[in-house]
Amino acid sequence: MQPYRIIKKMMSTGKVIKDYLVEEAISIYREYSRFPVVSSAKISFREDSSHIIVNSESTQRDLERREQVKFSRNHILTHEHGKYSILCRTPPTELSKELWNKESPSGKLRCIIRRVTNQKGEEKDFIEIWEKTRKIWNIDALSKEIHGKIYEPDGQFGSLEWSATEKRLVYIAEKKLPKATSYFDAKNTSRTPDDETKPSETKARGDQHVLHEDWGEMLVGKHHPIVAILDLEGSTPEISLLDCVSDDVSLGQVRWAPDETGLVMVGWSHEPWRLGLTYCPIRKSQLYFAQTSGEDIKCFGDEDKAVRSPSFSPDGKKIVYMDNPASGPHYQCSRLLMIDWVNKETKVVLDVVDQAKDDEFAGVFVHSLPDRCWSSDSKRVLFSTVSRSHLVPVVVNTETQKVTRIKSPESGVSALQILDVHHDHIVAQFSAPNQPQYLVIGYLPPEGEEDTIEWVKLDAELNHKLDGITVELLKHKPIDGMINEEFPDLEFESIFLRPSECADSKFPLVVWSHGGPHSAFMGDFQLYPAAMCSCGFAVLLVNYRGSIGCGQNSIKSLLGKIGHQDVQDVQFAAESLLKLDYINENHVTVIGGSHGGFITLHLIGQYPDFYKAAVCRNPVTSLLTIFGSSDIPDWAFVECGLDFKHGKVADMESLETFWKMSPTRYVDQVITPTMFMVGTADLRVPPKCALEYYKALKARKIPVRFMSYAENSHPLNKVDAEADAFVNIVSWFWYYIC
């Protein structure tokens, strides 16, 4: 019996079969958690260029080991007469303790960086250099006392790059600080006047409890990233540091300049103090070019901008990167810029798009470009960007500024993420709300014919499409009372998932708001919505006004209107759906995380009779609490339509605005049973936010539950927490709708 049939039976007979339903939920989650997620893919060639190798790395949830398992695979292909032929596929190989695994440009060498724990319980970082079938060097990087831990691919700073000559490697590591000691350590009790000439020792003494700022949520412990260079040319590998950049800058995203005499990197300013960087590509930063000799430094980009993701063209004559204002909403429409590396002149390739109609290009909405994103002619750049409720690949001609959308392997709501571009071969990852991820490869057509690309599935024999789930795209036009006076033409969308067999069924509904608020449901496969649908729920994913992928006006429309415009949109989408025949109007539930939790609490406060149960994951409950405790206090000011400066202290006007826009304003109206789920290590929305609201509901005798997940940060994505949370969510919904 299918779960939604069981729910229907429960509703009609009142029989309690909760335990059976829980086992069904566990079984469904276990099945769906086995779908791997591709994290990266790189194209290379055999030495004779006769074969193409696609090396991919994927992660998969291992419920028994309670961890994400990382593994790699190779697909070996030929490309003749415009057609791909897959010769063989290697079985998955687990990647144990690897931070990085990078092939040199010629394919003759490979660098692997591992983090291992020795018998004393100490973590060690080893840099291994492999030549075909043998390891020729293994460097204990930390034993040299030059730098701290090497940064992994963290999505912000981490880098590992081979030079063109393959004689040097550059990577990012934590700056080494003098060991802090107590004033009363025995070694420091007898000091002589000569000791006072040792500044490092003097500085370290008494510094045990000094605060070292880091970069916030999901970057804990990353205080001061620096650039390290490994020289392989001599008889013994040598590590040196690039120390010519100001000490009040954190460096990352480093690239070798074409002539190999210098490095291009992003530098984030420390002053006056660090704000959280994860999900916030608006932190003040510039592009630096530094000669490895340290003789010359040049900056690109305005001082009031935030830059990211530099990428050199194959001919070495151009470099593209993205920028945003270093203030305002945390995720905005970006500009794509290009530097002529010969004369060092910068031009804007794609500017900010205010608003777009239908299928028009809606602007650059992407956190990072692929490491290799150029066509072989060094004219075109390829990347994927959010476009309304889809993730779509585009080709940008840097000379004509023309943007061409590349077609996807399948029609409908979907996401196609470009992972690598090499010699005009493109490897990408496709998914849809009812289709787990799979890899495709295609060859870039000539200029002007890009939309004719043909994709080849690398594992054609695998078909994991979830035929039991139907996906629809719903469009919403605000009605009177909802229209934004400044941006009256804005509309929005929702992605609707429902069980396919619905001829005689009306399903319970889960209304889901995304976080951000400036993010989006982008048509990709997500475990929770798909598994909930297989548990018998219809799921409505709402991209309210303020979501990305619709131009900059959508972002601006929500500023100063959170708790109102976004809440109205979600409620309007839910009520519109009830007019269809799929949904049982008496069994509507609601869920959201972060700003989605903020919307969820507003919904159950402003529409108390509409929702039968609610779940909030790390929710923003009170802006009064968040501005003083989050790693991104600017968020509260900006989203409330207020100005933010580092020295800003909330005055009475700000406090009043925070109160008026907070969900806590409506707590006396809440009657909906609510479950809170928080990560104890969350720096973005600290647990006390949810705890305050939990206590308020408990005091008012509203059914409430509080789930606390140790060592989990804002995403609540550790394997055991993620699994436990899912079963608790569906159990909570089942209990209150049945």
Side-chain angles (χ1 to χ4, degrees):
M1 186 181 294
Q2 293 295 325
Y4 58 84
R5 298 293 183 190
I6 299 172
I7 292 176
K8 183 179 178 182
K9 185 176 181 180
M10 288 178 66
M11 293 174 183
S12 61
T13 66
K15 292 182 180 179
V16 179
I17 50 176
K18 178 184 175 184
D19 290 344
Y20 182 80
L21 284 174
V22 169
E23 292 304 316
E24 284 291 317
I26 293 171
S27 176
I28 289 168
Y29 185 87
R30 188 180 297 278
E31 177 186 353
Y32 286 14
S33 68
R34 295 190 181 111
F35 295 130
V37 178
V38 177
S39 53
S40 66
K42 291 293 181 184
I43 300 167
S44 60
F45 298 90
R46 286 191 173 173
E47 292 184 20
D48 59 2
S49 299
S50 60
H51 294 116
I52 302 166
I53 302 171
V54 177
N55 175 262
S56 61
E57 293 186 4
S58 303
T59 59
Q60 182 176 324
R61 301 168 178 87
D62 190 320
L63 297 180
E64 285 67 37
R65 286 165 52 177
R66 299 184 179 184
E67 64 179 345
Q68 289 274 6
V69 176
K70 185 167 72 170
F71 61 89
S72 68
R73 295 184 66 203
N74 284 331
H75 291 78
I76 302 175
L77 312 86
T78 59
H79 184 248
E80 297 176 344
H81 310 297
K83 300 291 184 181
Y84 288 100
S85 297
I86 300 174
L87 303 181
C88 68
R89 306 172 182 88
T90 63
T93 301
E94 186 171 344
L95 304 175
S96 177
K97 303 173 183 177
E98 285 189 5
L99 299 183
W100 294 92
N101 188 322
K102 198 130 188 185
E103 188 179 65
S104 67
S106 70
K108 296 178 180 179
L109 298 174
R110 181 174 295 274
C111 176
I112 299 175
I113 300 180
R114 300 185 196 273
R115 178 162 295 156
V116 300
T117 304
N118 64 16
Q119 293 178 344
K120 297 179 181 180
E122 301 168 331
E123 285 190 334
K124 295 281 190 179
D125 288 354
F126 289 97
I127 304 176
E128 304 173 2
I129 306 298
W130 290 77
E131 182 182 52
K132 295 184 178 177
T133 60
R134 65 184 184 127
K135 187 192 301 185
I136 57 176
W137 292 109
N138 192 8
I139 302 109
D140 184 350
L142 301 187
S143 68
K144 296 183 179 294
E145 298 287 334
I146 296 174
H147 57 65
K149 289 183 178 179
I150 297 173
Y151 280 29
E152 76 284 3
D154 56 14
Q156 300 293 340
F157 304 109
S159 307
L160 175 66
E161 295 289 331
W162 283 93
S163 67
T165 61
E166 304 185 358
K167 295 178 181 179
R168 290 186 290 183
L169 285 148
V170 63
Y171 58 92
I172 301 295
E174 181 67 22
K175 183 177 181 178
K176 183 78 172 177
L177 294 177
K179 185 176 181 180
T181 61
S182 167
Y183 285 122
F184 299 96
D185 280 356
K187 293 180 180 180
N188 291 326
T189 55
S190 57
R191 294 177 61 83
T192 67
D194 292 339
D195 292 328
E196 300 304 322
T197 62
K198 302 175 182 179
S200 62
E201 293 182 10
T202 303
K203 181 181 178 181
R205 190 177 181 217
D207 283 1
Q208 282 179 302
H209 306 291
V210 169
L211 171 67
H212 295 288
E213 294 178 25
D214 61 22
W215 285 99
E217 173 69 22
M218 298 175 69
L219 296 171
V220 174
K222 295 184 174 179
H223 310 283
H224 194 164
I226 55 174
V227 174
I229 301 169
L230 177 63
D231 194 331
L232 302 173
E233 194 167 12
S235 57
T236 303
E238 296 290 341
I239 297 174
S240 61
L241 300 180
L242 184 72
D243 56 4
C244 55
V245 180
S246 172
D247 204 41
D248 62 358
V249 170
S250 285
L251 299 174
Q253 301 182 17
V254 61
R255 309 286 186 260
W256 285 102
D259 52 14
E260 205 175 311
T261 61
L263 295 162
V264 172
M265 68 215 86
V266 177
W268 288 265
S269 174
H270 296 173
E271 299 301 328
W273 42 267
R274 297 165 179 78
L275 289 163
L277 183 56
T278 300
Y279 310 132
C280 305
I282 59 152
R283 301 308 180 205
K284 185 178 178 181
S285 51
Q286 289 183 286
L287 207 61
Y288 289 80
F289 169 64
Q291 293 182 348
T292 52
S293 62
E295 296 175 358
D296 185 37
I297 300 175
K298 184 175 178 60
C299 293
F300 299 92
D302 298 332
E303 291 187 359
D304 61 347
K305 297 291 186 182
V307 307
R308 65 191 189 276
S309 207
S311 178
F312 274 102
S313 60
D315 63 10
K317 296 180 180 180
K318 306 169 187 174
I319 182 172
V320 290
Y321 65 98
M322 295 181 288
D323 84 353
N324 284 103
S327 61
H330 287 170
Y331 200 174
Q332 310 176 31
C333 186
S334 300
R335 297 193 303 174
L336 182 70
L337 298 99
M338 183 175 70
I339 302 171
D340 183 325
W341 199 246
V342 177
N343 57 31
K344 303 298 188 291
E345 293 181 354
T346 303
K347 78 168 188 176
V348 177
V349 177
L350 296 179
D351 211 335
V352 171
V353 175
D354 289 327
Q355 195 164 334
K357 297 180 180 179
D358 302 324
D359 291 331
E360 292 178 348
F361 177 65
V364 177
F365 290 96
V366 56
H367 273 291
S368 60
L369 302 173
D371 288 345
R372 298 189 297 196
C373 59
W374 286 86
S375 60
S376 59
D377 60 11
S378 295
K379 292 182 180 180
R380 296 173 288 173
V381 172
L382 294 85
F383 58 89
S384 296
T385 180
V386 180
S387 180
R388 295 172 179 82
S389 300
H390 303 75
L391 183 67
V392 302
V394 295
V395 181
V396 180
N397 188 308
T398 60
E399 296 179 353
T400 65
Q401 287 80 53
K402 181 181 178 181
V403 180
T404 303
R405 180 169 171 171
I406 303 176
K407 70 177 182 180
S408 288
E410 300 180 27
S411 60
V413 180
S414 62
L416 184 62
Q417 176 72 56
I418 293 179
L419 301 174
D420 190 30
V421 182
H422 191 41
H423 291 286
D424 290 341
H425 298 281
I426 308 167
V427 63
Q429 175 182 251
F430 177 85
S431 72
N434 59 353
Q435 171 63 67
Q437 291 87 351
Y438 63 80
L439 283 174
V440 294
I441 191 169
Y443 192 77
L444 180 65
E447 184 178 341
E449 302 175 19
E450 293 94 344
D451 56 353
T452 64
I453 190 172
E454 295 295 331
W455 295 105
V456 174
K457 194 174 178 180
L458 291 181
D459 292 295
E461 74 284 0
L462 298 179
N463 182 16
H464 295 306
K465 187 166 186 177
L466 308 176
D467 293 325
I469 298 175
T470 296
V471 180
E472 299 178 41
L473 182 65
L474 307 179
K475 296 182 181 293
H476 309 287
K477 186 174 182 177
I479 59 175
D480 290 344
M482 295 175 60
I483 296 172
N484 187 303
E485 293 182 3
E486 187 176 359
F487 306 103
D489 297 329
L490 290 178
E491 300 180 1
F492 64 103
E493 296 180 346
S494 298
I495 302 173
F496 179 45
L497 286 71
R498 60 177 173 83
S500 298
E501 299 180 23
C502 62
D504 58 348
S505 301
K506 284 196 173 184
F507 302 107
L509 175 66
V510 178
V511 178
W512 202 319
S513 306
H514 62 70
H518 310 298
S519 62
F521 295 112
M522 58 185 74
D524 58 331
F525 179 79
Q526 298 181 56
L527 190 154
Y528 269 31
M532 284 181 178
C533 200
S534 293
C535 285
F537 294 92
V539 181
L540 183 67
L541 308 174
V542 185
N543 283 327
Y544 47 85
R545 287 171 293 172
S547 301
I548 62 173
C550 304
Q552 187 71 356
N553 285 353
S554 174
I555 307 295
K556 292 160 66 175
S557 75
L558 189 55
L559 304 182
K561 294 181 173 59
I562 58 170
H564 177 65
Q565 177 177 291
D566 44 1
V567 175
Q568 278 190 326
D569 285 359
V570 176
Q571 184 66 18
F572 180 73
E575 292 180 2
S576 299
L577 189 61
L578 295 188
K579 297 176 182 178
L580 305 179
D581 293 331
Y582 303 126
I583 304 303
N584 186 326
E585 62 182 13
N586 296 315
H587 299 118
V588 181
T589 64
V590 62
I591 186 174
S594 193
H595 187 82
F598 172 92
I599 293 174
T600 295
L601 292 173
H602 266 293
L603 288 167
I604 64 175
Q606 296 185 43
Y607 306 92
D609 298 319
F610 193 81
Y611 298 95
K612 302 305 177 186
V615 173
C616 299
R617 294 160 54 88
N618 286 325
V620 176
T621 63
S622 169
L623 296 164
L624 294 162
T625 302
I626 206 77
F627 93 91
S629 58
S630 172
D631 68 328
I632 52 168
D634 58 317
W635 180 90
F637 286 91
V638 170
E639 295 304 329
C640 288
L642 305 173
D643 292 331
F644 172 81
K645 294 181 180 179
H646 274 79
K648 182 85 171 181
V649 176
D651 53 21
M652 289 303 297
E653 180 183 359
S654 301
L655 295 174
E656 183 179 2
T657 301
F658 290 161
W659 166 250
K660 288 181 178 179
M661 293 189 174
S662 293
T664 45
R665 176 184 177 185
Y666 299 98
V667 68
D668 285 329
Q669 298 174 204
V670 174
I671 60 175
T672 305
T674 304
M675 179 163 62
F676 294 93
M677 296 180 160
V678 303
T680 61
D682 188 354
L683 299 180
R684 185 66 31 109
V685 183
K688 67 178 181 180
C689 285
L691 193 58
E692 288 176 359
Y693 205 101
Y694 162 80
K695 291 177 179 177
L697 291 184
K698 196 169 185 181
R700 289 161 176 77
K701 301 187 184 305
I702 304 300
V704 64
R705 195 178 191 203
F706 193 94
M707 310 292 291
S708 180
Y709 293 99
E711 299 180 1
N712 275 261
S713 58
H714 196 55
L716 290 177
N717 60 357
K718 286 188 178 292
V719 169
D720 53 346
E722 195 179 35
D724 179 85
F726 175 80
V727 180
N728 270 290
I729 290 168
V730 294
S731 297
W732 185 259
F733 287 162
W734 277 336
Y735 183 83
Y736 284 102
I737 65 174
C738 298

